[in-house]
């Protein structure tokens, strides 16, 4: 039996840290009023409790979710965590509680508001990830490939396997301007690191020439009579255009 508590949880902002918040909630039978990263703006007047991240505890929570609900439930939780969903931590906590009561059938409870919100958030993340696999444009700076993206969701962990395999022999950086993080790859390892104060490198003359060649090719293969701007915006949403070489050079 859980009771509400006039306390807000703070954690380090990592997925493992959020899982430790879930563990603390179950262990102490607390329903926190809020769960938020420690560096996020604090919009609550409740006293706060910082939950330390313990990898062993996080692993125990993962095992418990797999065992009591399902492996798919753990994937859903992780996808929702990296999405843009508001108050996602509390929703995930409520989902885990629901799952501990209902087991594997929780995943099919589509009429439940918590389940529906997590599924919608996970779908948004998945769609955006697939878009960026096609819409990322790299520039060459010396021996380094560089790209800027502005996603709504935190897609870097999901883009990493695709681009690290595709460019396995080339160092590259994908800078997430929205979240101020970067995927940094060097053969054959990668890191996702915060980059608060970052100024993108300027394109040199060779890079500008290649951009012009790509734009000329793009224009030359186009069939003016078959241009459909509305359809293009459906297939290639306009918010991606800012960093597409063929459109903005």
């Amino acid at each position: 039996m859980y009771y509400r508590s006039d306390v807000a949880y703070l954690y380090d902002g990592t997925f493992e840290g959020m899982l430790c918040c879930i563990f603390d909630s179950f262990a102490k039978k607390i329903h926190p009023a809020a769960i938020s990263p420690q560096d996020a703006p604090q919009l609550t007047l409740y006293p706060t409790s910082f939950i330390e991240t313990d990898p062993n505890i996080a692993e125990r929570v993962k095992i418990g979710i797999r065992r009591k609900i399902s492996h798919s439930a753990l994937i859903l939780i992780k996808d929702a965590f990296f999405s843009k969903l508001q108050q996602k931590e509390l929703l995930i906590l409520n989902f885990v509680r629901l799952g501990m009561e209902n087991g594997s059938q929780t995943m099919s409870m589509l009429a439940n508001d918590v389940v529906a919100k997590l599924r919608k958030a996970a779908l948004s993340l998945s769609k955006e990830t697939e878009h960026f696999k096609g819409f990322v444009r790299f520039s060459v700076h010396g021996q380094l490939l560089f790209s800027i993206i502005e996603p709504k969701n935190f897609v870097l962990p999901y883009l990493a396997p695709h681009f690290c395999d595709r460019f396995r022999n080339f160092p590259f950086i994908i800078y997430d301007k929205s979240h101020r993080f970067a995927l940094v790859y060097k053969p054959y390892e990668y890191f996702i690191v915060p980059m608060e104060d970052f100024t993108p490198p300027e394109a040199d003359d060779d890079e500008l020439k290649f951009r012009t060649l790509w734009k000329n090719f793009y224009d030359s293969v186009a069939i003016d009579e078959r241009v459909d701007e509305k359809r293009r915006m459906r297939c290639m949403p306009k918010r991606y255009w800012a960093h597409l070489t063929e459109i903005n050079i």
Side-chain angles (χ1 to χ4, degrees):
M1 188 72 179
Y2 292 94
Y3 58 87
R4 284 199 169 271
S5 175
D6 293 337
V7 63
Y9 281 174
L10 299 179
Y11 71 108
D12 63 2
T14 65
F15 180 61
E16 288 70 23
M18 189 270 300
L19 293 178
C20 291
C21 291
I22 292 175
F23 180 88
D24 192 87
S25 174
F26 274 83
K28 298 178 180 177
K29 300 188 183 302
I30 291 175
H31 191 307
I35 306 175
S36 58
Q38 60 183 337
D39 57 355
Q42 300 305 312
L43 303 177
T44 179
L45 297 178
Y46 292 114
T48 60
S49 175
F50 182 78
I51 307 300
E52 296 285 350
T53 298
D54 184 326
N56 294 322
I57 289 177
E59 188 60 32
R60 286 177 61 186
V61 175
K62 291 179 184 179
I63 292 171
I65 291 171
R66 291 193 195 101
R67 184 177 298 160
K68 294 287 188 178
I69 314 175
S70 67
H71 180 68
S72 297
L74 182 59
I75 293 174
L76 176 64
I77 288 169
K78 187 174 182 179
D79 290 350
F81 177 79
F82 286 111
S83 76
K84 66 180 187 297
L85 180 63
Q86 298 296 311
Q87 297 185 323
K88 56 193 175 186
E89 294 91 350
L90 276 181
L91 286 167
I92 290 171
L93 172 58
N94 290 335
F95 174 82
V96 173
R97 286 188 178 151
L98 187 68
M100 292 302 169
E101 295 174 1
N102 296 279
S104 60
Q105 66 177 342
T106 307
M107 293 293 289
S108 59
M109 297 171 63
L110 303 183
N112 183 280
D113 188 55
V114 171
V115 178
K117 285 182 177 179
L118 293 192
R119 282 188 170 275
K120 183 178 180 180
L123 181 60
S124 171
L125 175 80
S126 176
K127 286 183 176 180
E128 190 171 45
T129 299
E130 289 304 311
H131 279 146
F132 274 113
K133 286 179 182 179
F135 296 154
V136 168
R137 297 291 183 267
F138 286 97
S139 298
V140 179
H141 298 274
Q143 300 298 314
L144 178 72
L145 301 177
F146 178 79
S147 179
I148 301 176
I149 59 174
E150 295 186 65
K152 293 180 179 179
N153 303 285
F154 192 62
V155 297
L156 289 181
Y158 298 83
L159 293 177
H162 173 78
F163 285 105
C164 292
D165 180 65
R166 185 177 178 186
F167 299 106
R168 64 181 62 185
N169 295 317
F170 300 94
F172 67 79
I173 294 175
I174 300 178
Y175 175 57
D176 179 345
K177 188 176 179 180
S178 302
H179 301 90
R180 298 186 182 279
F181 270 77
L183 168 61
V184 180
Y185 174 79
K186 63 175 183 178
Y188 298 94
E189 58 183 343
Y190 73 87
F191 310 91
I192 295 176
V193 296
M195 299 185 74
E196 290 293 335
D197 300 313
F198 177 72
T199 302
E202 294 290 335
D204 60 21
D205 290 341
D206 286 341
E207 171 61 25
L208 292 175
K209 290 177 183 178
F210 279 111
R211 291 183 185 183
T212 301
L213 288 172
W214 171 237
K215 180 65 165 65
N216 290 341
F217 170 77
Y218 180 83
D219 291 340
S220 66
V221 298
I223 302 173
D224 293 338
E225 292 77 14
R226 300 184 65 180
V227 170
D228 185 339
E229 290 295 335
K230 289 185 178 179
R231 184 174 183 180
R232 178 164 76 163
M233 283 189 284
R234 285 198 304 270
C235 298
M236 185 186 290
K238 209 163 187 177
R239 69 185 181 87
Y240 296 100
W241 291 12
H243 303 292
L244 292 181
T245 307
E246 60 268 31
I247 294 177
N248 289 285
I249 190 171

